[in-house]
Amino acid sequence: MRLSRYFLPVLKENPSEAQIVSHRLMLRAGMIKQAAAGIYSWLPLGFKVLRKLENIVHEEQARAGHIAIQMPILQSADLWRESGRYDDYGQEMLRMQDRHGRDMLYTPTAEELVTDIFRGHVNSYKDLPLTLYQIQWKFRDEIRPRFGVMRGREFYMKDGYNFDLTKEDALHAYNRHLVSYLRTYERMGLQAIPMRADSGPIGGDDTHEFLVLADTGESEVFYDSAVTDLTFGDRQIDYDNREQCQAILEEFTSKYARTDETHDEELFNQIPEERRRVARGIEVGQIFYFGTKYSEAMGATVQGPDGKSVPVHMGSHGIGVSRLIGAIIEASHDDKGIIWPEGVTPFHCGIVNLKQGDEEADAACDKIYSALTALGLEPLYDDRNERAGGKFATMDLIGLPWRITVGPRGLKNGVVELTCRRTGESEELSPEAAVTKVAEIYEKIA
Protein backbone atom coordinates (compact mmCIF):
# COMPACT_ATOMS: atom_id res chain seq x y z
CA MET A 1 0.00 0.00 0.00
CA ARG A 2 1.19 3.50 -0.87
CA LEU A 3 0.54 5.90 1.98
CA SER A 4 -0.53 8.63 -0.45
CA ARG A 5 -3.50 6.41 -1.37
CA TYR A 6 -4.28 5.10 2.10
CA PHE A 7 -6.68 6.44 4.71
CA LEU A 8 -4.56 7.00 7.82
CA PRO A 9 -5.92 9.97 9.82
CA VAL A 10 -3.13 10.27 12.40
CA LEU A 11 -3.34 12.87 15.17
CA LYS A 12 -0.38 14.94 16.34
CA GLU A 13 -1.80 15.73 19.77
CA ASN A 14 -2.89 13.37 22.51
CA PRO A 15 -6.71 13.14 22.69
CA SER A 16 -7.95 14.53 26.00
CA GLU A 17 -10.51 11.73 26.50
CA ALA A 18 -7.91 8.94 26.35
CA GLN A 19 -6.81 7.85 29.83
CA ILE A 20 -4.52 4.92 28.99
CA VAL A 21 -1.75 4.35 26.48
CA SER A 22 -3.59 1.94 24.17
CA HIS A 23 -6.62 4.21 23.82
CA ARG A 24 -4.42 7.23 23.19
CA LEU A 25 -2.24 5.50 20.60
CA MET A 26 -5.14 3.83 18.79
CA LEU A 27 -6.79 7.22 18.34
CA ARG A 28 -3.54 8.96 17.39
CA ALA A 29 -2.57 6.22 14.92
CA GLY A 30 -5.92 6.51 13.16
CA MET A 31 -7.02 2.99 14.09
CA ILE A 32 -10.43 3.80 15.59
CA LYS A 33 -12.91 6.65 15.93
CA GLN A 34 -15.51 6.86 18.65
CA ALA A 35 -19.09 6.64 17.38
CA ALA A 36 -20.76 6.70 20.81
CA ALA A 37 -19.70 5.96 24.38
CA GLY A 38 -17.87 2.63 24.29
CA ILE A 39 -18.63 2.09 20.59
CA TYR A 40 -16.01 2.57 17.87
CA SER A 41 -15.65 2.61 14.12
CA TRP A 42 -12.65 0.57 13.03
CA LEU A 43 -10.61 2.53 10.50
CA PRO A 44 -8.35 0.79 7.95
CA LEU A 45 -5.25 0.33 10.11
CA GLY A 46 -7.21 -0.89 13.14
CA PHE A 47 -9.44 -3.12 11.01
CA LYS A 48 -6.36 -4.67 9.42
CA VAL A 49 -4.92 -5.64 12.81
CA LEU A 50 -8.33 -6.92 13.94
CA ARG A 51 -8.40 -9.26 10.93
CA LYS A 52 -4.84 -10.44 11.63
CA LEU A 53 -5.82 -11.45 15.17
CA GLU A 54 -9.04 -13.05 13.95
CA ASN A 55 -7.13 -15.17 11.43
CA ILE A 56 -4.72 -16.42 14.11
CA VAL A 57 -7.66 -17.40 16.31
CA HIS A 58 -9.34 -19.24 13.42
CA GLU A 59 -6.12 -21.11 12.57
CA GLU A 60 -5.54 -22.27 16.13
CA GLN A 61 -9.17 -23.27 16.62
CA ALA A 62 -9.03 -25.35 13.45
CA ARG A 63 -5.76 -26.92 14.65
CA ALA A 64 -7.55 -28.01 17.84
CA GLY A 65 -10.42 -29.54 15.86
CA HIS A 66 -13.04 -26.89 16.57
CA ILE A 67 -15.67 -25.94 13.98
CA ALA A 68 -16.58 -22.38 13.03
CA ILE A 69 -20.18 -21.21 12.73
CA GLN A 70 -21.86 -17.78 12.71
CA MET A 71 -24.77 -16.96 14.98
CA PRO A 72 -26.92 -13.80 14.82
CA ILE A 73 -26.22 -10.70 16.86
CA LEU A 74 -29.87 -10.46 17.96
CA GLN A 75 -31.39 -13.27 20.01
CA SER A 76 -34.89 -14.10 21.18
CA ALA A 77 -35.47 -13.49 24.87
CA ASP A 78 -37.44 -16.74 25.01
CA LEU A 79 -34.23 -18.80 24.93
CA TRP A 80 -32.83 -16.87 27.88
CA ARG A 81 -36.06 -17.29 29.83
CA GLU A 82 -35.75 -21.02 29.18
CA SER A 83 -32.28 -21.13 30.73
CA GLY A 84 -33.31 -18.84 33.58
CA ARG A 85 -30.77 -16.14 32.78
CA TYR A 86 -32.98 -13.46 31.20
CA ASP A 87 -33.87 -11.78 34.49
CA ASP A 88 -30.61 -12.66 36.22
CA TYR A 89 -28.16 -11.17 33.72
CA GLY A 90 -28.73 -7.57 34.80
CA GLN A 91 -28.64 -4.17 33.14
CA GLU A 92 -25.60 -4.99 31.00
CA MET A 93 -28.01 -6.80 28.67
CA LEU A 94 -29.44 -4.52 25.97
CA ARG A 95 -33.09 -5.49 25.62
CA MET A 96 -35.51 -4.45 22.87
CA GLN A 97 -38.70 -5.43 21.06
CA ASP A 98 -39.23 -5.98 17.36
CA ARG A 99 -42.22 -4.56 15.48
CA HIS A 100 -44.36 -7.52 16.55
CA GLY A 101 -43.71 -6.88 20.24
CA ARG A 102 -41.40 -9.88 20.65
CA ASP A 103 -38.70 -9.47 23.30
CA MET A 104 -35.21 -9.52 21.80
CA LEU A 105 -31.71 -8.88 23.08
CA TYR A 106 -28.34 -7.92 21.64
CA THR A 107 -26.00 -10.86 22.25
CA PRO A 108 -23.70 -10.52 25.28
CA THR A 109 -22.85 -14.24 25.04
CA ALA A 110 -24.40 -17.20 23.23
CA GLU A 111 -24.71 -20.28 25.45
CA GLU A 112 -28.47 -20.44 24.98
CA LEU A 113 -28.42 -19.96 21.22
CA VAL A 114 -25.73 -22.57 20.57
CA THR A 115 -27.50 -25.02 22.89
CA ASP A 116 -30.66 -24.55 20.85
CA ILE A 117 -28.68 -25.32 17.67
CA PHE A 118 -27.23 -28.44 19.26
CA ARG A 119 -30.49 -29.84 20.59
CA GLY A 120 -32.15 -29.37 17.23
CA HIS A 121 -29.60 -31.48 15.34
CA VAL A 122 -27.68 -33.83 17.65
CA ASN A 123 -29.34 -36.72 19.48
CA SER A 124 -26.72 -39.47 19.75
CA TYR A 125 -23.50 -39.87 21.70
CA LYS A 126 -21.95 -41.03 18.42
CA ASP A 127 -21.94 -37.39 17.25
CA LEU A 128 -19.80 -36.33 20.21
CA PRO A 129 -17.44 -34.73 21.05
CA LEU A 130 -18.38 -31.50 19.31
CA THR A 131 -17.03 -27.97 19.70
CA LEU A 132 -18.63 -25.08 17.80
CA TYR A 133 -17.32 -21.54 17.88
CA GLN A 134 -17.82 -18.16 16.27
CA ILE A 135 -16.09 -14.79 16.11
CA GLN A 136 -18.87 -12.23 16.34
CA TRP A 137 -19.73 -8.79 17.68
CA LYS A 138 -21.19 -8.69 21.19
CA PHE A 139 -22.71 -5.94 23.30
CA ARG A 140 -22.71 -5.38 27.04
CA ASP A 141 -24.11 -2.10 28.28
CA GLU A 142 -21.29 -1.17 30.63
CA ILE A 143 -22.32 1.39 33.21
CA ARG A 144 -19.09 3.32 32.62
CA PRO A 145 -17.33 2.38 29.39
CA ARG A 146 -13.71 3.55 29.38
CA PHE A 147 -10.19 2.80 28.21
CA GLY A 148 -11.16 2.59 24.53
CA VAL A 149 -11.53 -0.95 23.21
CA MET A 150 -10.40 -2.34 26.57
CA ARG A 151 -13.72 -1.61 28.24
CA GLY A 152 -16.12 -0.85 25.42
CA ARG A 153 -19.79 -1.71 25.13
CA GLU A 154 -19.51 -3.25 21.67
CA PHE A 155 -16.66 -5.74 21.20
CA TYR A 156 -15.47 -8.48 18.86
CA MET A 157 -15.16 -11.84 20.54
CA LYS A 158 -14.42 -15.47 19.82
CA ASP A 159 -16.86 -17.62 21.78
CA GLY A 160 -16.70 -21.41 21.60
CA TYR A 161 -18.88 -24.12 23.13
CA ASN A 162 -18.05 -27.77 23.69
CA PHE A 163 -20.60 -30.60 23.97
CA ASP A 164 -19.45 -33.88 25.51
CA LEU A 165 -21.00 -37.06 26.84
CA THR A 166 -19.25 -37.12 30.22
CA LYS A 167 -17.53 -34.78 32.64
CA GLU A 168 -14.20 -36.43 31.83
CA ASP A 169 -14.70 -35.73 28.12
CA ALA A 170 -15.68 -32.13 28.85
CA LEU A 171 -12.63 -31.58 31.03
CA HIS A 172 -10.45 -32.80 28.17
CA ALA A 173 -12.17 -30.16 26.01
CA TYR A 174 -11.30 -27.63 28.74
CA ASN A 175 -7.65 -28.71 28.65
CA ARG A 176 -7.64 -28.67 24.85
CA HIS A 177 -8.87 -25.08 24.85
CA LEU A 178 -6.25 -24.03 27.37
CA VAL A 179 -3.51 -25.48 25.16
CA SER A 180 -4.88 -23.84 22.02
CA TYR A 181 -5.13 -20.48 23.79
CA LEU A 182 -1.51 -20.65 24.93
CA ARG A 183 -0.48 -21.15 21.28
CA THR A 184 -2.80 -18.38 20.12
CA TYR A 185 -1.47 -15.72 22.47
CA GLU A 186 2.18 -16.55 21.91
CA ARG A 187 1.66 -16.25 18.15
CA MET A 188 0.42 -12.73 18.86
CA GLY A 189 3.59 -11.88 20.76
CA LEU A 190 1.86 -11.96 24.16
CA GLN A 191 2.44 -13.80 27.39
CA ALA A 192 -1.07 -14.45 28.69
CA ILE A 193 -1.00 -16.21 32.06
CA PRO A 194 -3.87 -18.61 32.89
CA MET A 195 -5.17 -17.65 36.34
CA ARG A 196 -7.81 -19.25 38.53
CA ALA A 197 -10.82 -16.97 38.26
CA ASP A 198 -14.48 -16.44 39.16
CA SER A 199 -17.12 -17.71 36.73
CA GLY A 200 -19.49 -14.73 37.07
CA PRO A 201 -22.86 -14.94 35.25
CA ILE A 202 -21.68 -17.77 32.98
CA GLY A 203 -21.64 -20.21 35.89
CA GLY A 204 -19.59 -23.31 36.57
CA ASP A 205 -16.86 -24.43 38.95
CA ASP A 206 -13.83 -24.75 36.66
CA THR A 207 -12.58 -21.57 35.02
CA HIS A 208 -9.33 -19.83 34.16
CA GLU A 209 -8.84 -16.31 32.88
CA PHE A 210 -5.90 -15.45 30.64
CA LEU A 211 -4.30 -12.20 31.74
CA VAL A 212 -1.59 -10.02 30.25
CA LEU A 213 0.41 -8.18 32.89
CA ALA A 214 0.15 -4.40 32.50
CA ASP A 215 0.08 -1.45 34.87
CA THR A 216 -3.24 -0.33 33.39
CA GLY A 217 -4.96 -3.69 33.91
CA GLU A 218 -8.31 -3.60 35.67
CA SER A 219 -7.75 -6.82 37.63
CA GLU A 220 -5.47 -7.15 40.62
CA VAL A 221 -3.54 -10.41 40.28
CA PHE A 222 -1.42 -12.48 42.62
CA TYR A 223 1.13 -14.92 41.24
CA ASP A 224 4.33 -16.85 41.63
CA SER A 225 6.95 -15.14 39.45
CA ALA A 226 8.06 -18.58 38.23
CA VAL A 227 4.93 -18.68 36.07
CA THR A 228 6.34 -15.92 33.85
CA ASP A 229 9.26 -18.17 32.88
CA LEU A 230 6.94 -20.62 31.13
CA THR A 231 6.67 -20.55 27.34
CA PHE A 232 4.74 -22.80 25.01
CA GLY A 233 7.09 -22.39 22.06
CA ASP A 234 6.74 -24.50 18.93
CA ARG A 235 5.66 -27.76 20.58
CA GLN A 236 3.78 -30.22 18.41
CA ILE A 237 0.54 -31.13 20.15
CA ASP A 238 -1.84 -34.00 19.52
CA TYR A 239 -5.10 -32.47 20.72
CA ASP A 240 -6.68 -35.93 20.98
CA ASN A 241 -3.98 -37.01 23.43
CA ARG A 242 -5.57 -36.51 26.85
CA GLU A 243 -2.41 -37.12 28.82
CA GLN A 244 -0.45 -34.59 26.77
CA CYS A 245 -3.09 -31.87 27.12
CA GLN A 246 -3.49 -32.59 30.85
CA ALA A 247 0.27 -32.36 31.35
CA ILE A 248 0.39 -28.93 29.70
CA LEU A 249 -2.52 -27.69 31.81
CA GLU A 250 -0.70 -28.86 34.95
CA GLU A 251 2.54 -27.25 33.80
CA PHE A 252 0.92 -23.86 33.27
CA THR A 253 -1.53 -23.88 36.21
CA SER A 254 0.33 -25.64 39.03
CA LYS A 255 2.13 -22.43 40.06
CA TYR A 256 0.03 -19.96 42.07
CA ALA A 257 -1.72 -17.43 39.79
CA ARG A 258 -5.11 -16.00 40.73
CA THR A 259 -7.28 -12.97 40.22
CA ASP A 260 -8.43 -11.00 43.25
CA GLU A 261 -11.84 -12.78 43.29
CA THR A 262 -10.23 -16.17 44.01
CA HIS A 263 -7.08 -15.05 45.82
CA ASP A 264 -6.16 -17.19 48.85
CA GLU A 265 -3.74 -15.35 51.13
CA GLU A 266 -2.76 -18.50 53.01
CA LEU A 267 -1.77 -20.33 49.81
CA PHE A 268 -0.05 -17.23 48.46
CA ASN A 269 2.11 -16.96 51.58
CA GLN A 270 3.42 -20.48 51.00
CA ILE A 271 5.31 -19.19 47.94
CA PRO A 272 8.91 -18.13 48.68
CA GLU A 273 8.74 -14.42 49.44
CA GLU A 274 11.13 -13.42 46.67
CA ARG A 275 8.75 -14.97 44.11
CA ARG A 276 5.48 -13.43 45.36
CA ARG A 277 4.10 -10.86 42.98
CA VAL A 278 1.09 -8.54 43.13
CA ALA A 279 0.34 -6.71 39.90
CA ARG A 280 -2.37 -5.61 37.49
CA GLY A 281 -3.58 -7.69 34.57
CA ILE A 282 -5.69 -7.29 31.43
CA GLU A 283 -8.13 -10.12 30.80
CA VAL A 284 -7.92 -11.31 27.18
CA GLY A 285 -9.77 -14.62 27.42
CA GLN A 286 -11.52 -17.09 29.71
CA ILE A 287 -12.42 -20.78 29.64
CA PHE A 288 -15.27 -22.42 31.58
CA TYR A 289 -16.57 -25.88 32.34
CA PHE A 290 -20.15 -25.67 33.63
CA GLY A 291 -21.38 -29.22 33.24
CA THR A 292 -25.09 -29.66 32.54
CA LYS A 293 -26.26 -26.19 33.66
CA TYR A 294 -27.67 -25.25 30.25
CA SER A 295 -28.30 -28.70 28.79
CA GLU A 296 -30.59 -29.72 31.67
CA ALA A 297 -32.50 -26.44 31.61
CA MET A 298 -32.94 -26.51 27.83
CA GLY A 299 -33.29 -30.22 27.15
CA ALA A 300 -30.02 -30.69 25.24
CA THR A 301 -29.74 -34.45 25.59
CA VAL A 302 -28.31 -37.37 23.63
CA GLN A 303 -28.94 -41.08 23.69
CA GLY A 304 -26.01 -42.70 25.50
CA PRO A 305 -24.39 -46.07 24.74
CA ASP A 306 -26.95 -47.76 27.02
CA GLY A 307 -29.86 -46.24 25.10
CA LYS A 308 -30.79 -43.85 27.91
CA SER A 309 -31.17 -40.12 27.34
CA VAL A 310 -28.59 -37.97 29.19
CA PRO A 311 -27.86 -34.21 29.25
CA VAL A 312 -24.58 -33.29 27.63
CA HIS A 313 -21.70 -31.71 29.53
CA MET A 314 -20.74 -28.27 28.27
CA GLY A 315 -18.16 -25.53 28.55
CA SER A 316 -17.64 -22.14 26.95
CA HIS A 317 -14.40 -20.51 25.91
CA GLY A 318 -13.86 -16.89 24.92
CA ILE A 319 -11.13 -14.68 23.49
CA GLY A 320 -11.61 -10.92 23.39
CA VAL A 321 -10.31 -10.28 19.87
CA SER A 322 -10.86 -6.50 19.82
CA ARG A 323 -9.67 -6.14 23.43
CA LEU A 324 -6.47 -7.98 22.47
CA ILE A 325 -5.39 -5.04 20.33
CA GLY A 326 -5.42 -2.78 23.38
CA ALA A 327 -3.61 -5.40 25.43
CA ILE A 328 -0.86 -5.81 22.82
CA ILE A 329 -0.31 -2.04 22.70
CA GLU A 330 -0.26 -1.78 26.50
CA ALA A 331 2.42 -4.48 26.56
CA SER A 332 4.39 -3.23 23.53
CA HIS A 333 4.93 0.51 23.07
CA ASP A 334 7.33 3.33 23.84
CA ASP A 335 7.05 7.11 24.04
CA LYS A 336 7.07 7.35 20.22
CA GLY A 337 4.16 5.01 19.62
CA ILE A 338 3.11 1.41 19.08
CA ILE A 339 5.57 -1.47 18.58
CA TRP A 340 3.73 -4.29 16.80
CA PRO A 341 4.97 -7.87 17.19
CA GLU A 342 5.74 -9.35 13.76
CA GLY A 343 2.87 -11.84 14.03
CA VAL A 344 0.14 -9.18 14.12
CA THR A 345 1.59 -6.12 12.42
CA PRO A 346 -0.76 -4.45 9.92
CA PHE A 347 2.08 -4.08 7.40
CA HIS A 348 5.25 -6.13 7.43
CA CYS A 349 7.62 -3.29 6.63
CA GLY A 350 7.58 0.46 6.13
CA ILE A 351 9.43 2.13 3.25
CA VAL A 352 10.42 5.76 3.72
CA ASN A 353 11.53 7.80 0.72
CA LEU A 354 13.67 10.65 2.05
CA LYS A 355 13.46 12.64 -1.19
CA GLN A 356 10.20 12.10 -3.00
CA GLY A 357 10.56 13.21 -6.61
CA ASP A 358 14.21 12.26 -6.86
CA GLU A 359 14.38 9.93 -9.85
CA GLU A 360 16.87 7.49 -8.32
CA ALA A 361 15.20 7.40 -4.89
CA ASP A 362 11.74 6.93 -6.41
CA ALA A 363 12.97 4.09 -8.60
CA ALA A 364 14.73 2.35 -5.69
CA CYS A 365 11.63 2.58 -3.50
CA ASP A 366 9.42 1.24 -6.28
CA LYS A 367 11.80 -1.68 -6.77
CA ILE A 368 11.89 -2.51 -3.04
CA TYR A 369 8.10 -2.21 -2.85
CA SER A 370 7.64 -4.58 -5.80
CA ALA A 371 10.19 -7.07 -4.45
CA LEU A 372 8.53 -7.27 -1.02
CA THR A 373 5.09 -7.60 -2.58
CA ALA A 374 6.30 -10.38 -4.90
CA LEU A 375 7.44 -12.30 -1.81
CA GLY A 376 3.93 -12.18 -0.38
CA LEU A 377 4.67 -9.40 2.11
CA GLU A 378 2.70 -6.19 2.59
CA PRO A 379 4.87 -3.08 2.71
CA LEU A 380 3.58 0.41 3.49
CA TYR A 381 5.40 2.88 1.26
CA ASP A 382 5.42 6.47 2.52
CA ASP A 383 5.50 8.23 -0.84
CA ARG A 384 4.07 11.52 0.43
CA ASN A 385 5.73 14.87 -0.23
CA GLU A 386 6.43 15.36 3.46
CA ARG A 387 9.53 16.19 5.48
CA ALA A 388 11.64 13.22 6.57
CA GLY A 389 10.97 13.97 10.25
CA GLY A 390 7.23 13.75 9.71
CA LYS A 391 7.58 10.45 7.86
CA PHE A 392 9.70 8.94 10.64
CA ALA A 393 7.23 10.16 13.29
CA THR A 394 4.33 8.50 11.45
CA MET A 395 6.19 5.21 11.10
CA ASP A 396 7.16 5.24 14.78
CA LEU A 397 3.59 6.05 15.81
CA ILE A 398 1.94 3.25 13.83
CA GLY A 399 4.64 0.85 14.99
CA LEU A 400 5.62 -1.30 12.01
CA PRO A 401 8.38 -3.67 13.19
CA TRP A 402 10.79 -2.89 10.33
CA ARG A 403 11.54 0.19 8.24
CA ILE A 404 13.63 0.57 5.09
CA THR A 405 14.84 4.13 4.59
CA VAL A 406 15.88 5.17 1.09
CA GLY A 407 17.73 8.39 0.25
CA PRO A 408 20.00 9.76 -2.46
CA ARG A 409 23.07 9.84 -0.23
CA GLY A 410 22.85 6.16 0.70
CA LEU A 411 22.03 5.11 -2.85
CA LYS A 412 25.27 6.69 -4.06
CA ASN A 413 27.01 4.10 -1.89
CA GLY A 414 24.60 1.36 -2.98
CA VAL A 415 22.88 1.05 0.41
CA VAL A 416 19.61 1.67 2.21
CA GLU A 417 18.98 1.64 5.96
CA LEU A 418 17.06 -1.17 7.67
CA THR A 419 15.77 -0.23 11.15
CA CYS A 420 14.23 -2.40 13.85
CA ARG A 421 11.38 -0.53 15.56
CA ARG A 422 11.74 -2.45 18.84
CA THR A 423 15.46 -1.85 19.41
CA GLY A 424 16.00 1.23 17.26
CA GLU A 425 19.10 -0.40 15.77
CA SER A 426 19.87 0.26 12.09
CA GLU A 427 22.17 -1.29 9.55
CA GLU A 428 23.16 -0.35 6.03
CA LEU A 429 22.49 -2.99 3.40
CA SER A 430 22.06 -3.15 -0.33
CA PRO A 431 18.38 -2.83 -1.31
CA GLU A 432 18.35 -6.51 -2.31
CA ALA A 433 19.90 -7.62 0.99
CA ALA A 434 17.38 -5.52 2.98
CA VAL A 435 14.49 -7.19 1.17
CA THR A 436 16.01 -10.62 1.75
CA LYS A 437 16.50 -9.99 5.46
CA VAL A 438 12.93 -8.78 5.97
CA ALA A 439 11.62 -11.83 4.11
CA GLU A 440 13.74 -14.17 6.25
CA ILE A 441 12.43 -12.58 9.47
CA TYR A 442 8.84 -13.33 8.50
CA GLU A 443 9.64 -16.80 7.20
CA LYS A 444 10.74 -17.75 10.71
CA ILE A 445 7.39 -16.78 12.27
CA ALA A 446 5.16 -18.15 9.50
Side-chain angles (χ1 to χ4, degrees):
M1 177 60 66
R2 294 173 183 270
L3 193 49
S4 61
R5 301 176 187 173
Y6 198 53
F7 180 56
L8 187 68
V10 298
L11 305 176
K12 292 183 179 180
E13 303 297 328
N14 286 327
S16 58
E17 70 271 25
Q19 300 175 353
I20 63 172
V21 168
S22 59
H23 190 193
R24 181 166 68 248
L25 290 177
M26 288 183 76
L27 290 170
R28 284 199 56 210
M31 295 179 68
I32 56 173
K33 184 181 187 303
Q34 181 171 302
I39 302 173
Y40 293 88
S41 296
W42 290 79
L43 306 184
L45 194 73
F47 186 64
K48 200 169 179 60
V49 178
L50 193 68
R51 283 289 176 256
K52 287 282 185 82
L53 298 182
E54 180 182 4
N55 288 339
I56 291 173
V57 173
H58 275 305
E59 289 168 6
E60 292 305 325
Q61 288 297 295
R63 192 193 299 265
H66 306 157
I67 303 168
I69 62 173
Q70 188 80 86
M71 292 181 279
I73 297 173
L74 293 181
Q75 296 187 36
S76 168
D78 291 342
L79 287 173
W80 286 65
R81 291 192 177 104
E82 198 175 339
S83 73
R85 280 208 302 173
Y86 185 68
D87 295 322
D88 294 343
Y89 203 88
Q91 293 185 331
E92 285 188 357
M93 180 188 288
L94 184 63
R95 297 165 168 87
M96 67 206 76
Q97 289 188 334
D98 65 14
R99 65 169 67 195
H100 302 292
R102 291 176 295 221
D103 291 330
M104 308 290 288
L105 58 98
Y106 196 121
T107 299
T109 183
E111 282 81 6
E112 286 81 1
L113 192 57
V114 77
T115 304
D116 184 53
I117 292 171
F118 177 88
R119 70 184 178 183
H121 298 283
V122 180
N123 52 36
S124 172
Y125 76 96
K126 295 178 181 178
D127 296 320
L128 303 179
L130 177 66
T131 294
L132 303 174
Y133 81 95
Q134 66 169 350
I135 301 179
Q136 176 65 290
W137 291 101
K138 308 288 192 305
F139 190 92
R140 294 176 190 166
D141 202 4
E142 296 279 354
I143 189 171
R144 191 164 65 93
R146 59 196 186 279
F147 304 154
V149 301
M150 298 282 286
R151 191 78 175 178
R153 293 193 292 165
E154 185 182 58
F155 54 96
Y156 203 46
M157 179 179 170
K158 173 262 167 180
D159 50 318
Y161 308 89
N162 67 280
F163 301 88
D164 291 277
L165 182 63
T166 67
K167 179 177 181 178
E168 291 72 24
D169 294 341
L171 289 176
H172 172 58
Y174 186 95
N175 297 350
R176 192 174 65 238
H177 278 85
L178 182 136
V179 174
S180 70
Y181 279 22
L182 291 171
R183 283 186 57 97
T184 298
Y185 295 126
E186 285 198 11
R187 282 189 60 187
M188 296 173 180
L190 285 172
Q191 182 178 51
I193 302 169
M195 298 192 177
R196 177 65 65 180
D198 181 66
S199 63
I202 300 292
D205 298 323
D206 291 272
T207 180
H208 281 87
E209 284 182 6
F210 289 80
L211 289 105
V212 174
L213 299 176
D215 292 339
T216 51
E218 290 187 283
S219 301
E220 187 174 33
V221 297
F222 303 80
Y223 64 96
D224 181 339
S225 65
V227 78
T228 60
D229 297 329
L230 299 173
T231 58
F232 191 83
D234 56 359
R235 308 181 201 191
Q236 297 303 308
I237 300 299
D238 177 0
Y239 283 100
D240 292 327
N241 187 320
R242 298 192 176 207
E243 291 75 18
Q244 190 179 30
C245 291
Q246 177 68 26
I248 294 172
L249 175 131
E250 291 174 0
E251 177 186 351
F252 279 84
T253 63
S254 59
K255 303 272 191 304
Y256 190 94
R258 297 194 178 199
T259 60
D260 52 357
E261 296 97 335
T262 61
H263 175 54
D264 185 320
E265 192 69 23
E266 184 176 346
L267 288 176
F268 186 61
N269 288 336
Q270 293 176 18
I271 303 167
E273 186 174 0
E274 67 275 11
R275 295 200 333 239
R276 290 180 216 152
R277 298 287 186 276
V278 181
R280 309 295 298 181
I282 300 168
E283 181 200 340
V284 292
Q286 191 164 2
I287 57 177
F288 303 84
Y289 161 71
F290 43 70
T292 58
K293 171 177 174 159
Y294 296 94
S295 55
E296 286 185 346
M298 299 183 67
T301 62
V302 295
Q303 189 178 62
D306 58 1
K308 295 180 180 179
S309 181
V310 293
V312 294
H313 287 253
M314 294 176 57
S316 67
H317 317 275
I319 291 179
V321 180
S322 53
R323 167 182 273 248
L324 269 168
I325 297 180
I328 291 170
I329 294 172
E330 291 292 333
S332 186
H333 68 273
D334 61 16
D335 56 1
K336 296 179 181 178
I338 301 164
I339 305 173
W340 291 115
E342 279 87 351
V344 300
T345 180
F347 295 96
H348 296 104
C349 181
I351 303 170
V352 171
N353 188 340
L354 292 179
K355 193 170 183 181
Q356 197 70 37
D358 178 87
E359 186 175 341
E360 189 177 6
D362 291 353
C365 287
D366 286 337
K367 189 173 181 180
I368 292 169
Y369 181 86
S370 297
L372 289 169
T373 303
L375 291 169
L377 300 175
E378 292 184 277
L380 180 65
Y381 173 20
D382 192 342
D383 60 343
R384 300 171 300 162
N385 288 312
E386 297 282 346
R387 295 174 57 185
K391 291 187 175 186
F392 289 141
T394 297
M395 285 293 175
D396 285 340
L397 174 61
I398 67 175
L400 306 186
W402 297 92
R403 185 186 75 225
I404 297 175
T405 304
V406 181
R409 183 180 301 174
L411 289 174
K412 287 180 180 178
N413 298 318
V415 297
V416 295
E417 188 176 72
L418 179 64
T419 303
C420 174
R421 174 69 178 89
R422 184 169 299 279
T423 65
E425 295 176 356
S426 299
E427 60 179 320
E428 291 187 337
L429 299 166
S430 69
E432 295 78 13
V435 168
T436 298
K437 182 164 183 177
V438 171
E440 288 173 347
I441 289 166
Y442 286 100
E443 280 178 8
K444 291 177 183 177
I445 65 168

